[in-house]
Amino acid sequence: YIRTNIYKMINKPNEWEQSIIDNAVEYSVMMWRPLDKSTKTIVKTYDEAKKLYKETSKKHKATLVYAINEAGRYANMNHLEDFKKRDN
């Protein structure tokens, strides 16, 4: 049995998502909960989002991060190295 890269999930943004990430004016860090009980915090910088994600994801595993552009469109950023889940 030889394991190949085909089984690894490589998740890169498409051009549309990358455009939103590159032109983000704010970021949303969301703790997802069922039954409409999710909480969302909006921050202005990538570094703030990174810090908040690190703190939040330690306490709440279902934490999502989105970039938001000037038009209000969202792109998920959990595939980026700074926002990937860690087993710590």
Side-chain angles (χ1 to χ4, degrees):
Y1 177 76
I2 298 173
R3 187 175 200 145
T4 63
N5 284 341
I6 200 164
Y7 296 107
K8 291 184 178 180
M9 189 169 172
I10 298 171
N11 211 2
K12 294 184 179 180
N14 62 36
E15 287 180 32
W16 181 80
E17 291 171 318
Q18 191 62 55
S19 174
I20 292 172
I21 293 167
D22 291 343
N23 296 295
V25 294
E26 58 189 10
Y27 302 87
S28 169
V29 179
M30 185 172 101
M31 291 187 294
W32 186 88
R33 294 186 178 96
L35 303 173
D36 219 16
K37 303 280 186 197
S38 298
T39 56
K40 175 170 64 173
T41 303
I42 302 291
V43 295
K44 292 290 182 188
T45 69
Y46 184 93
D47 287 338
E48 288 176 304
K50 186 174 156 180
K51 181 180 177 191
L52 183 58
Y53 172 81
K54 186 176 179 180
E55 293 168 1
T56 304
S57 64
K58 286 179 185 176
K59 300 173 195 161
H60 191 81
K61 294 294 180 191
T63 300
L64 304 171
V65 183
Y66 296 93
I68 308 167
N69 71 5
E70 200 169 275
R73 293 198 169 85
Y74 286 64
N76 187 299
M77 298 196 323
N78 286 87
H79 60 279
L80 299 177
E81 196 60 39
D82 288 336
F83 301 102
K84 285 186 178 178
K85 299 285 184 207
R86 305 274 194 284
D87 293 328
N88 292 351

